[in-house]
Amino acid sequence: MSVQTTAKTSRPDPPRRTGTSAAARWRALRRRPLVTTLFPFAVVIAVWAVVAELGVFPSAFFVGPATVADSLLTSVQRGILPAYIVDSLTRLAVGTGVGLLVGVALGFLIGLNRHARRFSWPLLLFFQAIGDIAWLPIVIIWFGFSLTSVTVVIVYTVVFPLIISIVAGLDAIPTNLLRAASSLGASRWRMFWEVYVPGALPGLSSGVRTGLGYGWRALIAAEIIIGTSGVGFMMFDARRQGDVSHVFVGMAVLGVLWYMTDALVLAPLEKETVERWGLVEGIGR
Amino acid sequence: MSFLTVDRLNQVYTDVYTNEHTVAIDDVSFTIPAGEFVSLIGPSGCGKTTVLNIVAGFVEATGGAVQLEGVPVAGPGPDRGVVFQDFALFPWKTVLANVAFGLKMNGVGKAERQATAQEMIDLVGLSGFERKFPHELSGGMRQRAAVARVLATEPSIMLMDEPFASVDAQTRRVLQQEVLRIWDLRRTTVLFVTHDVDEAVFMSDRVIVLSTRPSQVQADIRIPIERPRSWTDMHTNEDFVSIRRELMGMLGVEGAEVAP
Amino acid sequence: MTMTHKIRTRARVESAAWFLSPFVVLLAAWLVAIPALDVSPRTFPSAPAVWSALVDQTAAGELIPHVLSSLGRVFLGAGIAVAVGVPAGLLMGMSAALSTFFSPLLRFSVALAGIAWIPLATLWLGYGNGAVVFVVFNAVFFAIVYNSMLGVRQTGTSLLRAARSLGASRWQMFWEVYLPGALPNIVTGLRVGLGFAWRGLIAAEIIATSTGLGYTLFLARQYYETDVIILMMILIGVLWLVMDRLLLAPFERRTIQRWSGERKARA
């Protein structure tokens, strides 16, 4: 999985460059993971700044990083942005939390019970196919332009990938592990806690990843359409006023938030389970 | 007195779509007395693993009966410890927790089961690796852990399903001798499934040969080689050489010579 | 031969029946529950109401154009994304330096792709078709570039060495090794991307146009036409199921299954 598997192309350094030269130090620096991650962004920002400075696009459509940083600073100082971020994150957290409760319970039920699986699997595929955002209109009719509507949509979004991944995770438990456990005398209850639950964790963590990926997209859409507060609302509000720089601010904030969710929640979860047990090496990151 | 009795075992598979019947096991009967090490060999696809799975209780036979100490076998249980070819260690448990698993399932207290597990880990030569996860161990070490896990619950019989097929050739020889060393200490009854004639002769008191599908017992051969056995002098042992040749002939490997 | 054929067909019919039976149960529950609980049509429509909405809309010649305009946007946006994204991803993957450089950027972009671009898309391209197609394009594009690149990077070293030592040129390497090697990943990328694109399409149609399923869906909300809303939701679900389960999933399964032996040998 790792993208850094580039050993075959690494050549020995040309002899004229010594280990202490600036070029060698530069290369050594580039190999450090944080630098390899951040360096491309620095290049993109630099290119962005140059393009904006040259005035290739009219400033009503495209602004440079300096302008965006400026707008970012003002909205932070005014307290608008922090409040919106808190709003968005709270909605996402509440939605994901409830979604986890429902999704995990249903996932195990459907994954472990043959009858439940047979009956609900087609329905599951269908209701997942309808997609979260299509529910927005009727949910608005039921609950109005409210926080409840946003939460319902996010719960809906998170639940389906979670169920499907947990079922897949349960199916992927090798038969011999189940046989080993039962031949060592595990009762049904013990089997559940000692084998099925840990066995489903890799599926669970990939389900949470997919669910969150869809979940926060649903959040943005809901905030744009329901439009009372939040990062999505801020972006669309700015767009209505023709304020490009705040649209850019919104996208940057979303990107950083996703990176933080990944680094603080998803990656540690995977590290503690999937990687520690050597099940899959660093899934899809 | 016979300890494990396999009586007229029969296994027929029915294809759900075509309704065709495939007879995997035609009629297999044998008995194993307590404390004996018995190998089951046969050509690939002859159903030797199916026999083991039936004895283990993983698969229900379509005909015949299996009795352990006079009691009919129904479903898997800790009286029959199974060592799998792919180890089947729980990837989310450390070596210690894997070995202690069976004891935990049977309600043994924490201190006691850890002490027993430690004893078994020492016995199989894994001391110092208690806190490792299975994926951090080599194939040979994983199989040692799997053997320790089975020994910890003190089963009446150990069922081993081609346990050394997934490890490299050198490690295999070492493990074969190791398992015999441990077996010598405890003399647990063993039913050992393999397709490797050398392994079967080297390890066993008796070798049962199954025919091709639909399988029957083709031969039941006693191995009179003295214990303890070691690979160093095995290839010059006359019994080993002649029994090996006889078995090779039965399995259709004509003109087989003893490997140097 | 014909016997087994007959049995196969019967098995297939049986599994289709099993697949449909939960929907029959659901439909029956719907038919019974709405009048029994006396649910207002402003809250939830009855099944016959949805059926007549379907008949009316089709007769009025409104439904088909909306469906076609939605599908047209998806195929256009996704088509451009595949045409541009696959070669770009493969070329990036063929160079270690390029893939190291672009990898974090692409991961960032995949996470951001689709709906988050709606404000910018409508700003750049105005409200209308262009913005919607752009949102679809960008949802698919980043996922497919990233996965194509990943697919090339994951092609086994020994395979590359074998091809080179057999005398493959760079161009031949591209067609004979990198492209087929990356195909399973490309299809996975397309599935993930289209998943985002389909949602992005509905959202963008709600926000930015006056045709399409999303637009009709949201317009109906203003008049509390729950029958039209539910009809549109069913249509959206059925269309996606057809695309995903009947086109993409079998394609993905086939490429991955066909080469799974090779994949395993690499690991």
Side-chain angles (χ1 to χ4, degrees):
Chain A
M1 277 278 152
S2 89
V3 191
Q4 274 83 4
T5 341
T6 56
K8 64 184 167 58
T9 50
S10 73
R11 280 157 288 166
D13 287 340
R16 65 179 191 285
R17 285 179 190 166
T18 58
T20 49
S21 76
R25 251 180 289 147
W26 170 241
R27 278 198 307 278
L29 191 69
R30 285 243 7 228
R31 247 172 260 129
R32 285 162 59 185
L34 191 67
V35 178
T36 359
T37 309
L38 291 182
F39 173 73
F41 289 99
V43 173
V44 166
I45 291 172
V47 172
W48 176 18
V50 171
V51 171
E53 204 58 39
L54 290 176
V56 183
F57 304 106
S59 64
F61 289 156
F62 196 85
V63 289
T67 322
V68 171
D70 204 42
S71 303
L72 179 72
L73 209 65
T74 0
S75 40
V76 171
Q77 277 166 351
R78 286 207 205 126
I80 302 169
L81 187 62
Y84 280 176
I85 290 177
V86 170
D87 281 354
S88 289
L89 286 182
T90 311
R91 287 164 193 165
L92 192 61
V94 171
T96 309
V98 177
L100 266 171
L101 284 180
V102 179
V104 169
L106 285 177
F108 277 103
L109 178 71
I110 292 168
L112 294 177
N113 185 305
R114 208 151 37 92
H115 304 291
R117 158 106 62 127
R118 205 162 199 190
F119 182 77
S120 58
W121 196 249
L123 295 177
L124 213 63
L125 291 180
F126 179 70
F127 281 99
Q128 195 209 13
I130 293 178
D132 34 81
I133 289 147
W135 279 89
L136 209 52
I138 195 140
V139 167
I140 291 173
I141 287 181
W142 293 340
F143 302 109
F145 287 85
S146 67
L147 185 62
T148 318
S149 294
V150 181
T151 313
V152 166
V153 169
I154 295 173
V155 170
Y156 188 90
T157 318
V158 172
V159 162
F160 289 99
L162 208 53
I163 295 177
I164 288 171
S165 298
I166 289 175
V167 171
L170 288 169
D171 283 353
I173 297 174
T175 318
N176 275 355
L177 278 191
L178 304 174
R179 285 178 166 178
S182 64
S183 111
L184 287 164
S187 60
R188 281 180 74 88
W189 183 245
R190 289 284 200 177
M191 280 287 258
F192 180 75
W193 286 109
E194 304 275 349
V195 185
Y196 285 117
V197 169
L201 278 183
L204 179 85
S205 78
S206 83
V208 170
R209 177 174 281 279
T210 319
L212 272 178
Y214 285 128
W216 80 259
R217 280 176 169 80
L219 175 73
I220 303 300
E223 284 179 348
I224 289 177
I225 293 163
I226 293 180
T228 47
S229 70
V231 180
F233 168 72
M234 181 193 82
M235 287 167 74
F236 203 65
D237 199 38
R239 184 254 165 273
R240 266 197 297 250
Q241 292 161 24
D243 176 6
V244 209
S245 65
H246 271 95
V247 177
F248 277 75
V249 168
M251 294 187 70
V253 167
L254 289 177
V256 171
L257 284 183
W258 177 252
Y259 244 59
M260 280 166 55
T261 320
D262 191 279
L264 299 177
V265 182
L266 297 175
L269 181 69
E270 278 157 15
K271 202 168 211 115
E272 271 307 297
T273 58
V274 182
E275 284 173 43
R276 188 163 170 220
W277 303 337
L279 296 177
V280 188
E281 282 125 43
I283 49 172
R285 273 185 296 120
Chain B
M1 175 211 126
S2 78
F3 186 72
L4 178 79
T5 314
V6 173
D7 189 23
R8 280 170 292 161
L9 217 54
N10 172 273
Q11 183 73 0
V12 180
Y13 292 110
T14 309
D15 191 311
V16 266
Y17 288 124
T18 56
N19 252 338
E20 278 166 26
H21 301 291
T22 312
V23 182
I25 300 170
D26 182 28
D27 182 3
V28 169
S29 304
F30 59 87
T31 59
I32 301 180
E36 220 174 50
F37 196 120
V38 176
S39 284
L40 203 56
I41 66 170
S44 61
C46 73
K48 47 192 188 293
T49 292
T50 309
V51 171
L52 182 132
N53 281 341
I54 292 169
V55 176
F58 299 146
V59 173
E60 216 170 307
T62 43
V66 176
Q67 289 190 339
L68 185 65
E69 293 179 281
V71 182
V73 158
D79 51 341
R80 286 148 289 138
V82 183
V83 178
F84 298 87
Q85 182 186 333
D86 59 3
F87 324 125
L89 294 169
F90 303 107
W92 44 83
K93 287 180 179 292
T94 60
V95 168
L96 188 69
N98 259 292
V99 175
F101 184 86
L103 298 170
K104 187 178 179 186
M105 292 309 107
N106 295 292
V108 178
K110 186 165 185 175
E112 196 188 334
R113 68 176 186 250
Q114 291 211 334
T116 313
Q118 188 62 53
E119 197 183 312
M120 292 307 140
I121 288 169
D122 295 342
L123 181 70
V124 300
L126 276 181
S127 314
F129 293 94
E130 296 84 356
R131 306 276 158 209
K132 296 279 185 201
F133 284 95
H135 76 105
E136 298 170 302
L137 305 180
S138 69
M141 290 161 89
R142 284 183 219 179
Q143 201 52 292
R144 285 170 192 261
V147 170
R149 179 172 71 179
V150 165
L151 288 176
T153 52
E154 297 184 0
S156 312
I157 184 168
M158 253 171 99
L159 309 172
M160 304 179 87
D161 184 12
E162 307 203 21
F164 308 133
S166 321
V167 296
D168 66 84
Q170 261 119 49
T171 311
R172 192 177 307 151
R173 298 266 139 135
V174 175
L175 283 176
Q176 287 161 351
Q177 295 183 148
E178 276 287 290
V179 166
L180 281 193
R181 176 184 65 82
I182 295 161
W183 178 78
D184 242 1
L185 295 175
R186 325 195 115 226
R187 293 277 172 168
T188 313
T189 315
V190 175
L191 175 61
F192 190 98
V193 166
T194 178
H195 61 264
D196 180 345
V197 171
D198 288 27
E199 182 171 85
V201 179
F202 176 72
M203 310 272 304
S204 320
D205 295 321
R206 252 169 76 208
V207 175
I208 295 170
V209 186
L210 295 187
S211 65
T212 46
R213 177 186 289 193
S215 53
Q216 296 183 327
V217 174
Q218 192 183 349
D220 189 336
I221 296 166
R222 189 152 287 284
I223 315 289
I225 306 170
E226 254 177 61
R227 294 182 191 271
R229 298 170 187 173
S230 154
W231 275 114
T232 44
D233 55 1
M234 202 43 62
H235 291 301
T236 53
N237 185 307
E238 277 172 32
D239 286 330
F240 181 85
V241 173
S242 69
I243 294 170
R244 182 181 180 278
R245 179 166 298 146
E246 186 186 350
L247 288 172
M248 287 289 199
M250 277 183 211
L251 294 174
V253 191
E254 299 296 341
E257 282 306 313
V258 176
Chain C
M1 243 4 214
T2 41
M3 182 63 190
T4 44
H5 233 93
K6 234 182 228 168
I7 291 162
R8 286 271 149 74
T9 320
R10 203 178 61 199
R12 207 167 284 173
V13 169
E14 242 170 64
S15 81
W18 269 108
F19 189 88
L20 291 177
S21 62
F23 294 104
V24 176
V25 174
L26 196 69
L27 183 66
W30 187 12
L31 282 169
V32 173
I34 298 293
L37 300 173
D38 198 21
V39 179
S40 150
R42 285 187 126 218
T43 306
F44 205 88
S46 66
V50 173
W51 175 253
S52 59
L54 173 68
V55 173
D56 292 349
Q57 295 245 337
T58 318
E62 282 171 10
L63 192 66
I64 305 293
H66 283 305
V67 169
L68 288 181
S69 80
S70 286
L71 287 180
R73 287 162 182 159
V74 169
F75 285 121
L76 186 62
I80 300 171
V82 171
V84 182
V86 171
L90 293 181
L91 289 173
M92 279 180 204
M94 284 165 75
S95 151
L98 278 182
S99 56
T100 315
F101 180 83
F102 279 106
S103 182
L105 288 175
L106 283 171
R107 280 211 304 255
F108 184 84
S109 308
V110 173
L112 214 60
I115 287 170
W117 285 77
I118 291 177
L120 209 54
T122 54
L123 191 75
W124 284 346
L125 301 164
Y127 291 107
N129 241 339
V132 182
V133 172
F134 179 80
V135 169
V136 171
F137 161 79
N138 127 352
V140 178
F141 178 76
F142 290 116
I144 215 156
V145 172
Y146 182 60
N147 279 284
S148 307
M149 193 186 84
L150 216 60
V152 173
R153 298 312 302 164
Q154 283 171 10
T155 309
T157 316
S158 55
L159 265 186
L160 300 181
R161 286 184 180 156
R164 277 209 197 96
S165 76
L166 288 166
S169 67
R170 236 183 139 66
W171 184 243
Q172 285 168 324
M173 290 287 285
F174 182 89
W175 284 107
E176 305 283 343
V177 184
Y178 287 117
L179 182 64
L183 203 55
N185 287 68
I186 293 174
V187 183
T188 308
L190 185 63
R191 257 189 108 184
V192 171
L194 273 179
F196 290 143
W198 188 245
R199 290 167 165 78
L201 173 88
I202 305 300
E205 284 182 343
I206 289 176
I207 296 160
T209 58
S210 53
T211 54
L213 295 167
Y215 167 77
T216 319
L217 180 70
F218 205 64
L219 188 71
R221 186 203 58 83
Q222 280 175 8
Y223 308 109
Y224 289 88
E225 292 171 346
T226 53
D227 49 348
V228 178
I229 293 181
I230 296 296
L231 172 66
M232 288 301 143
M233 288 168 67
I234 293 173
L235 271 178
I236 288 168
V238 168
L239 285 174
W240 175 246
L241 265 190
V242 168
M243 275 198 285
D244 187 60
R245 291 285 144 181
L246 296 185
L247 296 175
L248 292 173
F251 188 40
E252 181 178 49
R253 221 176 302 132
R254 206 162 304 157
T255 50
I256 291 173
Q257 242 168 32
R258 243 173 85 186
W259 296 323
S260 61
E262 187 186 281
R263 291 250 136 183
K264 251 180 224 154
R266 282 182 206 161

